Amino acid sequence: MQFSESWLRTLVNPSLSTDELAHRLTMAGLEVEEADPVAPDFSGVVVARIETAEPHPNADKLRVCTVDAGTGSLLQIVCGAPNAAAGIKVPLAMVGAKLPGGMNIGVAKMRGVESSGMLCSARELGLSQDHAGLMILPDDARVGMNIREALDLDDTLFTLKLTPNRADCLSILGVAREVAALTGCTLNTPSVAPIQPTLTEIVPVKVVAPDLCGRFAGRVVRGVNARAQTPAWMIKCLERAGQRSVTALVDISNYVMLLLGRPTHVFDIDRMPEKAMEVRWARQGESLKLLNEQVIELDETMGVICSAGIPESLAGIMGGASAAVSLDTTSIYVEGAFWWPEAIAGRARRLKLNSEASHRFERGVDFENIPEHLDLITQLILDICGGQAGPIDDQLINLPARQPVTMRLSRCCRILGVQITSDEAARIFTLLGLEYTIQGDNFVVIPPTYRFDIRIEEDLIEEIARIVGFENIPAVPPIAPATMRLDPETTRSAHTLRSEMSLLGYQEVINFSFVEEPWEHEMAGNPDPIRLLNPIASQLAVMRSTLMPGLVANIRYNANRKQNRVRVFELGRVFSRDAAVADGPLTVAGVNQPQYLAGAAWGPVADDQWGIASRNVDFYDVKHDVETLFASSAADLKFVKDTHPALHPGQSARILLDSKPIGWIGTLHPKWVQAQEFSSAPVMFEVTVEALQSVPMPLVQELSRQPVVQRDMAVWVAADMPVGVLLDTIHATIARHPELSVVRDVRLFDVWRDKSADANPDAVKEKSLAFRFWLQDTEVTLDDARVDACLLQVRTALETTHQARQR
């Protein structure tokens, strides 16, 4: 919220400097995000009146002006502004003046004519970007007066960064209440005497939605002059609050909203279909053209104000164009209402509207002083636009109950860590305008109608802390017994997993948990993703059930920026529906939120260099990274051919640990490679964090002094025989026979196929697999006979189980 310090000081004027006032507000929870001067630093500029403006004898576009600057004699100024004319008042930079940007004004000759100063535009004074001509000053500006004093330029613009719960401070009055409570100064609440109606006319209003509108009030004003000029003081207040002047009626409505926090709306009665209104929920199929010319489709979740059954205004958000006031308006209906926050919240955002009214109503607006506020806006209309006012029609339909909130003084002292006496707490509540009664050690407070943020005991304790001052609460370190916590050796933390991925050359990314719906349908194969009720963007409408699409988007982002090698990973949660379970008479489906670790590699295996031949990363490079992550339990890790919607059907596998599925690995599906315009296919994997976190307890084993024996074995098997099946058989055989415990490791190191056999359709399709065995005994040196016997048992098992034969 933005406003000027001078406007605030009209309601409460503490003896604090600008910086001190900003600090007090910030420390009370109303953070002053910016405190900028209204105008840049300049001097020597006064109000002047142009007496004559004659053409320059030597230049077509210049004028020679005689100017009265209040010095007792006329000055000659050469000016090139097109609007320079006799009789207007403008800013004059006198000789010796210093303007923004370091410009110094002196006597100069322009095309042979002497000029003693400079007539200024708004941009030359740093007040705006307008440089089409001279800045025209009000007729009542005193000639010779310093321009900073005449325009009140020695002012400061405060910009508050309010938290969503402090809707009561979305007005000058609300901030002034806080300043008065913080400083003890007198608060000058804006008020007017009740308007005595001179008309008897009332517009009948029927409220049929009590859950939408809790109170509705309005009055008729006829004979207004909508072409009346908005007073300069009001325009100044509006502009310094970030609002532009529109017309007098609109400006008055905006002024009251900023002053009191009361959004109102002004209808042109003569443009309404009938002189009656109805407040209800919209119906499917209805539409409304708003003040900003946007046509919106309405539904049952939006409130409307109707006339003759036709929506004329979007309740609490924005008025309609059909009954909007114009310069020709003469009869108006001024409306002020209390709209339930729940009925307004989220509607403007869904419609992509930026509405000051909805910003306030969805947080809660005072529902007590609506008639008084209507009297104030009516008085301003009568003073500026003239006219005659009718009586206020005030309907109380369904107002919020102000439930008492109890604060235990002992608990307040315990939470804040300072001693607060009963008298001090009573003084603070009085300063804040909170009605209370004391019941023993307890304060029972009735929240004011403008404070929707006071609901529980902690809210009252916060109020005490704000007025005492957070900086006055001593910083005392907590005293507690310190106990060393040991990290379990059988569990890896998420931080450890991130570190290990970084060591493998991957860089961490963090993506949104909400993704595009087509990703879930097409890349995750999820026909029923979890939808968001209120997405931050229309395309990010569902929760992700896999991390892989996000990594594809990360690679695309980097590829678009000429990166030719990308290795990224993400550790985060995915979301899927649990199976529905019975909960009494209801069937409830929860949400499963496991953590996954996913990685993707694209481009060359290594950065280009002379010592390594360049090649793109492939399935086995990433498979090796996964095996490295599971190094301590790699023997129980299996990769079983399977298909996934996001992966190449011939280059994808399901990852199993102890025969349980824990994730996927594979090359990106060709259709996604083509859609993303990748030069090569990324290789990705995704596994559950739970499977990675559990590691076996490290075992201490004696190092053998005996030499390691290395032997190779090559066998012929069917061409479609998976290598993993053979390795499973080898490991099972070693586990069953104690005498084979000397086999320390087995690895595949060669695969060979007879190409001539592949070309012959009648030939038996076989492949040769070569395995390397490492054997070692801890006690004695292995002789050839024992080694051969071990390999014979392994070969026999392969021959028996898989019809393998020795090559």
Side-chain angles (χ1 to χ4, degrees):
M1 177 183 170
Q2 178 181 304
F3 57 90
S4 65
E5 180 184 1
S6 61
W7 194 5
L8 175 64
R9 288 186 181 272
T10 61
L11 301 188
V12 59
N13 191 13
S15 56
L16 299 174
S17 68
T18 299
D19 291 340
E20 290 172 337
L21 178 58
H23 178 73
R24 292 291 292 273
L25 286 172
T26 298
M27 297 311 298
L30 307 184
E31 181 185 351
V32 179
E33 190 173 29
E34 295 178 0
D36 299 323
V38 168
D41 187 30
F42 62 82
S43 62
V45 183
V46 299
V47 178
R49 180 175 60 246
I50 300 177
E51 299 295 339
T52 63
E54 303 295 336
H56 193 289
N58 302 320
D60 295 336
K61 294 185 178 180
L62 297 180
R63 291 173 180 267
V64 180
C65 302
T66 55
V67 176
D68 181 8
T71 60
S73 60
L74 298 179
L75 302 176
Q76 180 174 277
I77 310 291
V78 178
C79 176
N83 63 338
I88 64 173
K89 293 182 179 180
V90 295
L92 169 62
M94 304 285 286
V95 173
K98 295 182 179 180
L99 298 185
M103 180 186 294
N104 296 319
I105 303 301
V107 177
K109 278 193 175 183
M110 301 181 67
R111 295 289 183 94
V113 177
E114 189 174 273
S115 179
S116 302
M118 185 177 80
L119 302 180
C120 302
S121 68
R123 188 168 76 168
E124 287 162 338
L125 297 179
L127 302 181
S128 74
Q129 294 302 313
D130 183 13
H131 63 288
L134 297 177
M135 181 180 180
I136 307 299
L137 299 178
D139 292 336
D140 59 355
R142 181 167 54 86
V143 172
M145 188 178 190
N146 188 302
I147 195 72
R148 301 192 73 92
E149 182 182 353
L151 299 182
D152 190 22
L153 298 182
D154 293 321
D155 197 1
T156 303
L157 295 182
F158 284 161
T159 302
L160 300 187
K161 187 178 181 181
L162 296 174
T163 52
N165 63 318
R166 292 310 305 271
D168 60 299
C169 292
L170 288 170
S171 65
I172 302 297
L173 177 59
V175 178
R177 283 197 204 102
E178 290 292 303
V179 175
L182 292 169
T183 62
C185 292
T186 302
L187 175 65
N188 302 314
T189 304
S191 61
V192 295
I195 301 296
Q196 296 302 318
T198 55
L199 300 175
T200 59
E201 181 180 2
I202 291 178
V203 173
V205 179
K206 181 180 180 182
V207 179
V208 298
D211 53 340
L212 167 65
C213 179
R215 185 173 187 176
F216 193 96
R219 75 172 355 138
V220 175
V221 182
R222 291 193 177 273
V224 299
N225 176 18
R227 297 180 182 272
Q229 182 65 39
T230 303
W233 61 266
M234 183 178 289
I235 293 177
K236 183 186 75 172
C237 290
L238 292 174
E239 289 179 344
R240 294 185 181 181
Q243 298 275 344
R244 65 182 179 87
S245 176
V246 183
T247 65
L249 291 173
V250 175
D251 291 347
I252 292 169
S253 177
N254 288 337
Y255 173 80
V256 171
M257 178 186 68
L258 295 171
L259 177 65
L260 305 176
R262 167 70 55 202
T264 57
H265 188 63
V266 182
F267 295 88
D268 187 330
I269 296 180
D270 295 333
R271 298 178 64 183
M272 295 170 59
E274 67 177 6
K275 305 303 183 287
M277 293 183 178
E278 182 183 34
V279 179
R280 60 171 172 82
W281 293 105
R283 302 185 180 106
Q284 197 71 37
E286 290 182 322
S287 62
L288 174 62
K289 185 177 182 180
L290 300 174
L291 288 172
N292 62 359
E293 302 297 323
Q294 178 181 344
V295 178
I296 60 171
E297 298 298 325
L298 303 172
D299 60 36
E300 294 86 348
T301 65
M302 303 175 189
V304 291
I305 301 175
C306 300
S307 177
I310 302 172
E312 297 290 348
S313 176
L314 190 58
I317 299 177
M318 188 176 292
S322 60
V325 293
S326 67
L327 294 178
D328 298 323
T329 297
T330 58
S331 300
I332 61 174
Y333 181 82
V334 185
E335 166 263 316
F338 169 72
W339 307 102
W340 281 91
E342 297 81 2
I344 306 300
R347 274 67 169 185
R349 185 163 53 252
R350 191 198 318 167
L351 296 170
K352 298 181 176 61
L353 295 174
N354 184 15
S355 166
E356 290 280 355
S358 67
H359 184 71
R360 288 163 171 78
F361 280 124
E362 67 187 3
R363 288 162 171 77
V365 173
D366 181 15
F367 53 84
E368 178 68 24
N369 300 310
I370 295 179
E372 292 80 358
H373 294 173
L374 284 180
D375 276 336
L376 178 59
I377 191 173
T378 303
Q379 188 64 62
L380 289 171
I381 292 173
L382 296 179
D383 291 344
I384 297 171
C385 303
Q388 293 181 304
I392 292 179
D393 177 27
D394 185 16
Q395 300 184 44
L396 281 68
I397 301 102
N398 177 28
L399 296 179
R402 308 312 286 161
Q403 300 296 336
V405 180
T406 301
M407 186 195 78
R408 294 163 288 177
L409 190 59
S410 57
R411 187 162 189 269
C412 174
C413 297
R414 186 169 66 253
I415 287 180
L416 298 184
V418 294
Q419 192 63 33
I420 304 294
T421 65
S422 179
D423 290 342
E424 187 174 6
R427 180 185 67 84
I428 291 173
F429 288 150
T430 301
L431 288 173
L432 289 169
L434 304 180
E435 296 183 8
Y436 65 89
T437 57
I438 301 177
Q439 300 176 0
D441 185 50
N442 300 338
F443 281 79
V444 181
V445 175
I446 304 296
T449 55
Y450 53 83
R451 292 296 299 269
F452 284 76
D453 60 314
I454 298 178
R455 302 189 179 197
I456 58 176
E457 183 178 23
E458 285 72 15
D459 294 330
L460 293 175
I461 295 174
E462 180 188 5
E463 295 300 299
I464 297 286
R466 290 193 314 106
I467 304 304
V468 168
F470 292 112
E471 72 274 27
N472 296 324
I473 298 177
V476 180
I479 300 174
T483 305
M484 297 296 292
R485 301 185 64 182
L486 300 177
D487 292 332
E489 294 184 69
T490 58
T491 302
R492 287 188 290 188
S493 67
H495 178 76
T496 301
L497 295 176
R498 292 186 175 99
S499 178
E500 292 183 7
M501 287 297 295
S502 179
L503 293 174
L504 290 171
Y506 291 82
Q507 293 179 308
E508 185 176 12
V509 297
I510 300 176
N511 294 312
F512 280 129
S513 295
F514 10 90
V515 298
E516 299 179 27
E517 190 168 355
W519 287 10
E520 282 297 301
H521 291 322
E522 300 172 16
M523 296 189 73
N526 183 6
D528 186 23
I530 298 172
R531 296 182 179 277
L532 293 167
L533 294 178
N534 190 19
I536 62 171
S538 58
Q539 70 274 19
L540 304 178
V542 299
M543 302 298 289
R544 65 186 179 187
S545 62
T546 174
L547 303 178
M548 289 192 286
L551 299 183
V552 173
N554 297 140
I555 295 175
R556 176 71 272 162
Y557 182 88
N558 283 272
N560 287 342
R561 285 151 183 80
K562 307 303 180 184
Q563 300 297 311
N564 64 351
R565 182 174 184 269
V566 181
R567 296 171 75 89
V568 291
F569 80 93
E570 181 176 10
L571 193 155
R573 295 193 180 277
V574 298
F575 305 85
S576 59
R577 300 184 189 278
D578 280 335
V581 295
D583 184 10
L586 302 176
T587 300
V588 180
V591 177
N592 188 28
Q593 306 178 45
Q595 281 191 310
Y596 274 35
L597 174 67
W602 176 75
V605 174
D607 290 324
D608 292 339
Q609 58 158 304
W610 63 270
I612 300 177
S614 178
R615 68 174 181 84
N616 285 332
V617 66
D618 62 22
F619 178 92
Y620 295 100
D621 294 316
V622 176
K623 177 175 178 287
H624 177 265
D625 293 338
V626 174
E627 291 173 333
T628 302
L629 285 174
F630 286 94
S632 57
S633 54
D636 301 318
L637 198 66
K638 300 291 183 293
F639 299 86
V640 179
K641 183 178 179 181
D642 207 340
T643 57
H644 186 282
L647 303 177
H648 192 299
Q651 300 176 26
S652 59
R654 187 183 289 272
I655 304 174
L656 306 179
L657 182 65
D658 294 331
S659 302
K660 297 179 180 178
I662 61 167
W664 291 89
I665 184 173
T667 303
L668 186 63
H669 198 288
K671 70 177 181 179
W672 302 119
V673 174
Q674 183 178 9
Q676 299 294 331
E677 299 180 352
F678 289 140
S679 57
S680 60
V683 184
M684 303 184 294
F685 73 89
E686 181 179 67
V687 294
T688 63
V689 170
E690 182 182 10
L692 280 167
Q693 286 182 318
S694 298
V695 294
M697 177 68 74
L699 297 177
V700 179
Q701 294 181 337
E702 180 184 357
L703 293 176
S704 175
R705 296 175 179 269
Q706 308 303 321
V708 175
V709 178
Q710 182 176 303
R711 290 289 178 88
D712 295 342
M713 176 192 298
V715 294
W716 287 102
V717 295
D720 58 353
M721 176 66 66
V723 175
V725 175
L726 297 179
L727 287 173
D728 288 345
T729 300
I730 293 173
H731 290 305
T733 303
I734 294 172
R736 285 198 308 269
H737 298 85
E739 63 273 17
L740 297 183
S741 62
V742 295
V743 180
R744 300 299 183 188
D745 196 9
V746 184
R747 296 182 188 175
L748 176 74
F749 72 90
D750 184 55
V751 178
W752 183 82
R753 288 183 173 86
D754 187 352
K755 294 182 180 180
S756 60
D758 291 341
N760 184 1
D762 298 327
V764 178
K765 300 299 186 294
E766 290 184 314
K767 61 183 176 183
S768 171
L769 303 178
F771 298 94
R772 182 158 292 161
F773 293 79
W774 285 265
L775 301 91
Q776 185 184 40
D777 197 316
T778 58
E779 302 294 338
V780 297
T781 301
L782 294 176
D783 54 25
D784 290 344
R786 187 175 177 187
V787 171
D788 291 342
C790 290
L791 294 185
L792 177 61
Q793 280 187 281
V794 172
R795 188 173 66 248
T796 302
L798 295 177
E799 291 172 348
T800 304
T801 308
H802 305 294
Q803 291 73 51
R805 53 190 179 85
Q806 188 172 4
R807 179 179 171 186

